[in-house]
C-alpha cells in the first residue's frame, strides 16, 4: 500500500472540509459573533501548526507508523499505553462522526428511514473500500477533493447577489480578542484531526514532500472554512448563524437565482457524504491497521470487521442529537484537542528529536 503526496493532500483536504464547515459554524458564531472570520483564521493557523508537529514527529521514524515508533521514543510500556489511548479515541471519534453524519442525512433527506439503516449502509460501503487498503481511499479522494472545490466555487458564484460585504465590519468584536480566541477552538479542534498523518506518512512514497502536502491540504480546508464563515456573515449577519443547527445547510436553501437555480442543498448533502466517506475511511483504516500492529496480528484485515462493529456500536450509543453534536464536540475541544492533537505529539517530537541528536552525537 502506497500513497502519493498528491493523494495525501486530497485525503487531508477532503476529510477536513465537510464535517468542519457543517458542525463548527454555529458554535463559532455563538462565541465569536462578529469576529467569526478572524476566529476561522486563528483556527486554521492552529491546525497547520498541529499538522506540522505531527508530520515532523513522523519523519523521525519515516518508515514506521505511530504504533511502531512511539514505544521507540518513550519506552515499550508507556508507549503502548499511549497508543492504546489513541486507538480508543479513534474508535470513539469514528463512531461519533458516523452518528453526526447519520443525524444530518436523517434530518435532511430520510426522516422516515430508521437511523440505524443509514449508519449501517454507510459503514458497509466504507469497510468495503478500506478492505482494499489506504491507497483505495487515496484514489477516491483524488476525485472527491476536486468535486468539493467545485461545489464551493459554485455556491460562491450563485450567492454573489445575496452577499453584503459591509456586514463583515467591524472585524474585531466590541468584546475584544477573548471571544475570538474562544470561538476559534471548535474549528481548530476539528481541523487538527489532520494529526492522523502520524499513521499515514509511513505509506507515502516520497516522504520529503509529505510535510508540504499535509500543510497544503489542511491550509486549503481552512481557506474553505474561512470562505464559508464569510458567506454566512455576509448573507445572514453574525447573529442568525448562531441560532441555527446547520448554518451551511440553511445557506444552501437560501440561494435562488431568477427562481430557476434553487434547491442546491442536494449538492451539499452529496458533498458531505463524500467527505464523510473519506474521513471515516481513514479513521477505520488507521484504527484497524494500528490495532493489528499493537496486538501483533499479521493480517490487519482480520481486525477490520471488529473495529467496524465497535464503530457502529458507538454510533448507536447517543440517545439524542445533543449528545452526539454537543457533548462529544465539547470533549473533543476541551480534552482531545489540547492533549491528544497538540500536547502529546509535541512532547513526543521534542523527546524524539533530543534522542536523535544524542544518538548522532554518540555515533
Amino acid at each position: 500500500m502506497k500513497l502519493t503526496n498528491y493523494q495525501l493532500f486530497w485525503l487531508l483536504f477532503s476529510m477536513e472540509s465537510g464535517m468542519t464547515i457543517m458542525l463548527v459554524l454555529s458554535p463559532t458564531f455563538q462565541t465569536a459573533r462578529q469576529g467569526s472570520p478572524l476566529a476561522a483564521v486563528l483556527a486554521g493557523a492552529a491546525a497547520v501548526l498541529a499538522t506540522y508537529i505531527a508530520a515532523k514527529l513522523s519523519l523521525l521514524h519515516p518508515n514506521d507508523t505511530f504504533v511502531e515508533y512511539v514505544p521507540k521514543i518513550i519506552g515499550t510500556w508507556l508507549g503502548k499505553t499511549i497508543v492504546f489511548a489513541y486507538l480508543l479515541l479513534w474508535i470513539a471519534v469514528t463512531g461519533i462522526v458516523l452518528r453526526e453524519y447519520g443525524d444530518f442525512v436523517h434530518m435532511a433527506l430520510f426522516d422516515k428511514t430508521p437511523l440505524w439503516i443509514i449508519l449501517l449502509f454507510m459503514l458497509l460501503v466504507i469497510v468495503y473500500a478500506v478492505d482494499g487498503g489506504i491507497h483505495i481511499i487515496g484514489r477516491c479522494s483524488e476525485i472527491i477533493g476536486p468535486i468539493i472545490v467545485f461545489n464551493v466555487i459554485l455556491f460562491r458564484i450563485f450567492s454573489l447577489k445575496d452577499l453584503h460585504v459591509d456586514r463583515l465590519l467591524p472585524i474585531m468584536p466590541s468584546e475584544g480578542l477573548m471571544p475570538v480566541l474562544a470561538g476559534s477552538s471548535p474549528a481548530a479542534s476539528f481541523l487538527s484531526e489532520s494529526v492522523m498523518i502520524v499513521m499515514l506518512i509511513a505509506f507515502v512514497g516520497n516522504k520529503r514532500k509529505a510535510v508540504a502536502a499535509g500543510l497544503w491540504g489542511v491550509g486549503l480546508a481552512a481557506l474553505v472554512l474561512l470562505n464559508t464563515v464569510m458567506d454566512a456573515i455576509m448573507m445572514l449577519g453574525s447573529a442568525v448563524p448562531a441560532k441555527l443547527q446547520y448554518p451551511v445547510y440553511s445557506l444552501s436553501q437560501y440561494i435562488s437565482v431568477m427562481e430557476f437555480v434553487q434547491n442546491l442543498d442536494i449538492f451539499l448533502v452529496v458533498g458531505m457524504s463524500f467527505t464523510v466517506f473519506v474521513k471515516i475511511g481513514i479513521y477505520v483504516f488507521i484504527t484497524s491497521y494500528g490495532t493489528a500492529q499493537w496486538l501483533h496480528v499479521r493480517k490487519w484485515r482480520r481486525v477490520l470487521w471488529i473495529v467496524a462493529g465497535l464503530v457502529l456500536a458507538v454510533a448507536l450509543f447517543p440517545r439524542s442529537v445533543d449528545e452526539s453534536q454537543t457533548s462529544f464536540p465539547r470533549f473533543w475541544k476541551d480534552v482531545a484537542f489540547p492533549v491528544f492533537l497538540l500536547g502529546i505529539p509535541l512532547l513526543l517530537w521534542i523527546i524524539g528529536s533530543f534522542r536523535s541528536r544524542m544518538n548522532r552525537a554518540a555515533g
Side-chain angles (χ1 to χ4, degrees):
M1 296 182 291
K2 285 294 182 180
L3 288 173
T4 66
N5 285 293
Y6 184 70
Q7 289 172 341
L8 180 65
F9 166 80
W10 285 118
L11 275 172
L12 294 183
F13 168 74
S14 300
M15 63 150 293
E16 295 284 15
S17 54
M19 294 293 289
T20 302
I21 64 174
M22 183 60 64
L23 296 178
V24 306
L25 257 66
S26 183
T28 298
F29 274 98
Q30 287 171 9
T31 307
R33 296 285 180 173
Q34 190 65 34
S36 294
L38 184 56
V41 173
L42 295 177
V48 168
L49 175 62
T51 307
Y52 179 79
I53 292 171
K56 296 296 285 186
L57 168 64
S58 296
L59 289 178
L60 293 176
H61 300 273
N63 296 316
D64 296 334
T65 67
F66 184 76
V67 177
E68 294 172 307
Y69 65 67
V70 170
K72 294 179 181 179
I73 294 176
I74 57 174
T76 302
W77 290 105
L78 181 57
K80 283 185 172 291
T81 302
I82 290 178
V83 168
F84 179 68
Y86 270 90
L87 293 174
L88 290 180
L89 180 69
W90 290 339
I91 290 175
V93 70
T94 307
I96 294 299
V97 169
L98 180 63
R99 176 57 181 268
E100 290 170 340
Y101 163 78
D103 287 336
F104 172 71
V105 173
H106 188 261
M107 180 275 295
L109 295 179
F110 305 118
D111 59 324
K112 303 297 184 183
T113 304
L115 179 62
W116 69 269
I117 292 181
I118 299 173
L119 301 178
L120 179 61
F121 274 83
M122 184 61 169
L123 187 59
L124 287 175
V125 173
I126 291 170
V127 170
Y128 176 76
V130 172
D131 186 68
I134 187 60
H135 59 290
I136 301 299
I137 306 297
R139 291 173 185 173
C140 290
S141 70
E142 290 182 90
I143 300 173
I144 291 172
I147 291 176
I148 298 169
V149 173
F150 174 77
N151 281 350
V152 171
I153 296 174
L154 188 69
F155 273 75
R156 167 48 65 89
I157 292 173
F158 286 146
S159 64
L160 283 176
K161 70 179 185 65
D162 299 310
L163 301 180
H164 302 276
V165 181
D166 58 295
R167 292 178 179 174
L168 290 173
L169 300 176
I171 296 177
M172 181 68 69
S174 57
E175 295 86 354
L177 185 61
M178 291 309 297
V180 175
L181 292 174
S184 67
S185 59
S189 64
F190 271 74
L191 287 172
S192 295
E193 287 181 87
S194 54
V195 166
M196 66 169 62
I197 199 173
V198 295
M199 284 291 293
L200 298 179
I201 284 186
F203 300 97
V204 176
N206 186 355
K207 293 176 173 54
R208 290 182 298 175
K209 296 183 178 179
V211 177
L215 295 180
W216 278 109
V218 177
L220 183 58
L223 189 61
V224 169
L225 173 64
L226 175 60
N227 172 80
T228 308
V229 169
M230 292 175 63
D231 279 357
I233 202 170
M234 286 189 288
M235 293 176 69
L236 303 176
S238 59
V240 175
K243 301 176 182 178
L244 301 173
Q245 185 174 9
Y246 302 111
V248 177
Y249 186 67
S250 300
L251 288 177
S252 66
Q253 294 177 315
Y254 185 82
I255 295 174
S256 176
V257 181
M258 300 177 65
E259 297 186 359
F260 177 72
V261 179
Q262 294 177 326
N263 301 322
L264 295 182
D265 49 304
I266 187 61
F267 289 96
L268 181 68
V269 175
V270 171
M272 183 179 177
S273 298
F274 283 156
T275 62
V276 168
F277 169 82
V278 173
K279 186 169 191 171
I280 298 181
I282 298 175
Y283 268 120
V284 169
F285 172 78
I286 66 173
T287 307
S288 302
Y289 196 89
T291 302
Q293 289 185 316
W294 192 77
L295 296 174
H296 302 289
V297 177
R298 293 183 61 184
K299 296 183 178 180
W300 67 271
R301 289 177 178 85
R302 293 178 178 176
V303 185
L304 177 59
W305 286 101
I306 298 175
V307 169
L310 293 173
V311 167
L312 183 60
V314 172
L316 293 171
F317 182 77
R319 292 166 293 182
S320 65
V321 176
D322 288 337
E323 289 187 11
S324 62
Q325 299 192 9
T326 302
S327 300
F328 185 82
R330 190 180 300 119
F331 162 80
W332 189 256
K333 177 189 69 173
D334 297 337
V335 179
F337 174 54
V339 176
F340 290 93
L341 304 186
L342 276 179
I344 293 178
L346 178 60
L347 186 60
L348 290 172
W349 182 33
I350 293 173
I351 296 174
S353 299
F354 178 76
R355 282 196 164 189
S356 179
R357 291 194 187 97
M358 291 292 291
N359 290 337
R360 287 198 299 267

